[in-house]
Amino acid sequence: MTTGYNFAYLNEQTKRMIRRALLKAVAIPGYQVPFASREMPMPYGWGTGGVQVTASILTPEDTLKVIDQGADDTTNAVSIRKFFKRTAEVATTEETAKASIIQTRHRIPEAPLREDQILVFQVPIPEPLRFLEPRETETRKMHALEEYGIMHVKLYEDIARHGHIATSYAYPAKVNGRYVFDPSPIPKFDNPKLDSCAALQLFGAGREKRIYAVPPYTQVKSLDFEDHPFTIQKWDEPCALCGARGTYLDEIILDDRGKRMFVCSDTDHCRKARSGEEAA
Amino acid sequence: MTRPLLAADNITRLYDGRVACERVSFELWPGEVLAVVGESGSGKTTLLKCLSMQVAPTAGRVLYSLRDGRTVALADLSEAERRFLMRTDWGFVHQDPREGLRMGVSAGANVGERLMAVGERHYGRIRGTALDWLARVEIAEDRIDDSPRHYSGGMRQRLQIARNLVTAPRLVFMDEPTGGLDVSVQARLLDLLRGLVRTLGLSVIIVTHDLAVARLLSTRILVMQQGKVIETGLTDQVLEDPQAPYTQLLVSSVLQV
Ligand SMILES: Nc1ncnc2c1ncn2[C@@H]1O[C@H](COP(=O)(O)OP(=O)(O)OP(=O)(O)O)[C@@H](O)[C@H]1O
Ligand SMILES: [Mg+2]
Ligand SMILES: [Zn+2]
């Protein structure tokens, strides 16, 4: 190694500590495991929790993909990819199908994931109960006793104010019939992909020092009301670039007269669809 | 065969070795309204908090008759059972409604919260029940989506009452529920409370230093002085014919007003 760092930057002791937290997280799906988050050579808002998780599970044989809002070429994604290229010398890719580890912020890839893949989420605020109950001792008790009524208070407020459940990001869900969790700021469009996913899903919150997990093939149920069932975002038009329907679309402003178009947020998926390849 | 809903058995609470309430025993029967009166610092709030498990008694125990007929010492319940009891079978009306309400969410959500806490998952039914309860505490239908921040003091107190009663609790604890309100607002709240207590057959333990409140609402009264119960009996009797000199003083000072 030319950099003078340990493989993937973190020392082995730290990685072991994080792996122990990960094992516990996998054993108790959706439960937030505290861990001793380390300083990383990047600011907190840049996904240090996800970076520490990735660093702890990475092997030299892995192929890493990093996305931010579905794209591989944003500053955040590029710098994290560079970081691991430099500190672990692992192969990287922009293709979902070729990656063994995918670190992500704000999206789950459109292509179905496989058993031999791991998805690592960067999480800013892991505690879904926080907005109504700021006291940490109290939220811990509420999780322990499965007192999740106030999650529905939030959804009630949505409907009372907007006529429907307006929460569209970080939409709370119950994992394995037990813990309510925050799936990180992914659009609710991606919540169904969390459910019974073949890949292991790991969540790291650096500033808040929490790790949680959804093991493969685990039930993830988005919260809702009987008369206001959970629904995902829908668009009237297909992707303007690849023509796909049923993908998550970003709105792009084309000129200052307000001309807009909608395109896939998952750039790899869109590129594949355009070149006629099988995206999945 | 009926039995007491709640029985206090020699409740004592010390703070830093100083007595806040001492060896208090009584029984509360279903449907009874018990007023705890006494001057400031006499230990009323401390007693209420011990009874409702908000603070642990230093000595003594509280027995409670659960809905399923079992009588348990409250201290023996698990935390989960205790918290469940608190949000289903009990209500708490605080003097300051901000302590008993969620000020960050609408009035409707405040009333609906307990329903959701016990598993109600139908928005329409929750809203219907909330509207019904707002009407019962005389809050206009079109205020359901307002934040209690925009409510007057009297409205907040009525909202707090609705929020508590929505799960049909059997026992309601109240600490100076009319304390912070104007006299005319107090009178309206008292009338409302009296009506609700009668129609719902609630059991209530109400702390007040206002004998007029005790007279209007309660069937039985417990007079406290320096942490001890110095006189107890039917409210009308105690107020007509007080035995303890301290009670006589309390009653006469009220009559002068
Ligand atoms: N948390 C506490 N820590 C220390 N002392 C306390 C505490 N709470 C109450 N006390 C003391 O216990 C005694 C009884 O107080 P308590 O609040 O029960 O009286 P009260 O009858 O409710 O009075 P008030 O009518 O003013 O509300 C007082 O001497 C009070 O200073
Ligand atoms: Mg008091
Ligand atoms: Zn596309």
Side-chain angles (χ1 to χ4, degrees):
Chain A
M1 198 141 318
T2 53
T3 55
Y5 296 120
N6 193 30
F7 177 75
Y9 184 78
L10 291 178
N11 65 47
E12 292 306 308
Q13 196 191 348
T14 300
K15 286 194 231 169
R16 270 199 299 276
M17 176 273 292
I18 293 175
R19 287 178 199 137
R20 274 197 296 273
L22 287 169
L23 285 173
K24 184 167 180 184
V26 169
I28 316 170
Y31 173 75
Q32 298 168 48
V33 182
F35 80 110
S37 180
R38 292 297 141 97
E39 290 293 326
M40 296 302 282
M42 58 191 76
Y44 274 123
W46 285 63
T48 56
V51 169
Q52 291 178 78
V53 169
T54 299
S56 304
I57 61 172
L58 206 58
T59 68
E61 294 76 40
D62 273 310
T63 303
L64 180 68
K65 171 181 164 81
V66 183
I67 47 172
D68 178 11
Q69 313 266 8
D72 301 79
D73 58 358
T74 64
T75 318
N76 186 292
V78 169
S79 69
I80 291 173
R81 196 162 54 232
K82 267 199 195 136
F83 174 78
F84 283 116
K85 231 177 186 162
R86 197 155 48 86
T87 60
E89 297 174 340
V90 290
T92 59
T93 182
E94 298 195 356
E95 295 180 50
T96 300
K98 291 197 174 143
S100 58
I101 297 176
I102 303 167
Q103 180 168 332
T104 179
R105 175 172 173 257
H106 289 190
R107 277 307 313 277
I108 295 177
E110 303 290 359
L113 300 176
R114 302 181 311 259
E115 286 179 4
D116 61 345
Q117 295 178 306
I118 299 176
L119 191 56
V120 177
F121 295 78
Q122 301 169 205
V123 180
I125 300 169
E127 181 48 76
L129 303 168
R130 176 81 46 86
F131 75 102
L132 273 179
E133 184 48 73
R135 290 169 300 174
E136 170 84 24
T137 48
E138 186 66 14
T139 55
R140 229 179 287 167
K141 206 170 279 173
M142 292 159 84
H143 281 294
L145 301 175
E146 277 186 81
E147 289 180 6
Y148 290 131
I150 65 165
M151 292 312 304
H152 277 86
V153 169
K154 182 173 171 358
L155 301 180
Y156 170 97
E157 284 293 85
D158 260 14
I159 303 171
R161 205 166 303 151
H162 307 284
H164 62 275
I165 299 177
T167 302
S168 56
Y169 288 86
Y171 193 105
K174 196 176 233 188
V175 183
N176 204 26
R178 177 57 181 87
Y179 285 96
V180 166
F181 89 129
D182 182 336
S184 86
I186 57 171
K188 66 176 181 175
F189 180 88
D190 286 340
N191 271 33
K193 296 180 194 159
L194 295 160
D195 182 29
S196 300
C197 178
L200 171 63
Q201 303 178 86
L202 303 174
F203 299 77
R207 187 178 23 213
E208 305 255 350
K209 304 180 170 51
R210 291 288 185 278
I211 282 172
Y212 48 103
V214 176
Y217 305 112
T218 301
Q219 187 197 61
V220 176
K221 195 176 177 320
S222 303
L223 303 184
D224 61 4
F225 286 105
E226 289 160 24
D227 49 343
H228 287 267
F230 173 79
T231 57
I232 60 173
Q233 290 101 334
K234 285 193 177 61
W235 288 264
D236 297 333
E237 49 205 299
C239 168
L241 296 178
C242 74
R245 289 184 184 274
T247 64
Y248 188 83
L249 301 181
D250 282 336
E251 187 178 350
I252 294 182
I253 310 289
L254 291 174
D255 58 29
D256 51 14
R257 279 164 309 180
K259 194 156 181 279
R260 313 167 309 165
M261 69 174 185
F262 288 92
V263 301
C264 292
S265 109
D266 183 336
T267 50
D268 173 59
H269 187 83
C270 193
R271 194 166 41 234
K272 286 233 156 46
R274 267 175 289 156
S275 66
E277 275 182 65
E278 191 54 50
Chain B
M1 185 193 76
T2 54
R3 61 188 130 190
L5 183 61
L6 179 144
D9 178 15
N10 271 306
I11 299 294
T12 296
R13 169 73 202 199
L14 309 178
Y15 283 113
D16 310 318
R18 299 221 326 270
V19 166
C21 76
E22 191 175 11
R23 301 181 75 78
V24 176
S25 298
F26 67 87
E27 289 176 340
L28 180 79
W29 293 79
E32 201 173 25
V33 177
L34 177 74
V36 179
V37 302
E39 67 190 355
S40 180
S42 58
K44 306 182 296 292
T45 295
T46 303
L47 175 62
L48 198 73
K49 284 186 171 168
C50 286
L51 298 172
S52 57
M53 294 184 296
Q54 295 175 66
V55 306
T58 311
R61 54 187 197 148
V62 183
L63 299 174
Y64 186 71
S65 167
L66 298 171
R67 276 180 203 252
D68 65 12
R70 280 183 303 144
T71 295
V72 292
L74 290 178
D76 294 344
L77 293 178
S78 71
E79 182 159 37
E81 290 174 310
R82 204 148 60 201
R83 286 169 71 107
F84 185 74
L85 190 72
M86 284 181 169
R87 56 170 202 266
T88 54
D89 215 24
W90 290 2
F92 300 88
V93 178
H94 300 260
Q95 173 172 355
D96 182 349
R98 285 172 302 186
E99 279 180 44
L101 292 171
R102 273 193 203 285
M103 298 304 282
V105 301
S106 69
N110 266 283
V111 180
E113 179 173 345
R114 275 176 164 229
L115 297 173
M116 295 181 247
V118 296
E120 175 61 89
R121 294 291 177 262
H122 191 282
Y123 175 82
R125 278 201 299 265
I126 293 165
R127 201 164 170 83
T129 308
L131 280 170
D132 180 44
W133 268 102
L134 290 179
R136 292 173 83 161
V137 298
E138 300 165 11
I139 293 174
E141 227 173 79
D142 62 359
R143 303 299 302 271
I144 185 170
D145 294 327
D146 286 1
S147 158
R149 288 208 181 91
H150 303 133
Y151 276 19
S152 68
M155 285 172 77
R156 285 181 190 176
Q157 203 54 295
R158 282 180 273 134
L159 181 62
Q160 196 191 179
I161 289 163
R163 170 178 162 84
N164 274 285
L165 296 188
V166 69
T167 49
R170 294 187 302 158
L171 174 58
V172 182
F173 299 94
M174 303 185 188
D175 194 351
E176 309 273 8
T178 59
L181 304 172
D182 293 345
V183 177
S184 63
V185 180
Q186 274 189 25
R188 182 175 172 199
L189 188 69
L190 280 172
D191 284 342
L192 182 82
L193 271 177
R194 191 161 62 155
L196 287 171
V197 165
R198 290 223 176 121
T199 49
L200 301 170
L202 291 175
S203 308
V204 177
I205 301 178
I206 180 171
V207 161
T208 177
H209 60 259
D210 186 344
L211 292 189
V213 170
R215 191 193 295 278
L216 202 64
L217 286 181
S218 73
T219 40
R220 225 146 47 88
I221 196 166
L222 213 113
V223 184
M224 291 186 75
Q225 184 188 19
Q226 291 173 8
K228 292 197 189 67
V229 175
I230 54 150
E231 183 159 3
T232 175
L234 294 175
T235 305
D236 288 344
Q237 271 175 21
V238 171
L239 295 185
E240 290 292 306
D241 185 19
Q243 300 300 307
Y246 175 74
T247 316
Q248 289 167 359
L249 210 71
L250 274 184
V251 171
S252 63
S253 63
V254 153
L255 294 180
Q256 278 163 19
V257 174

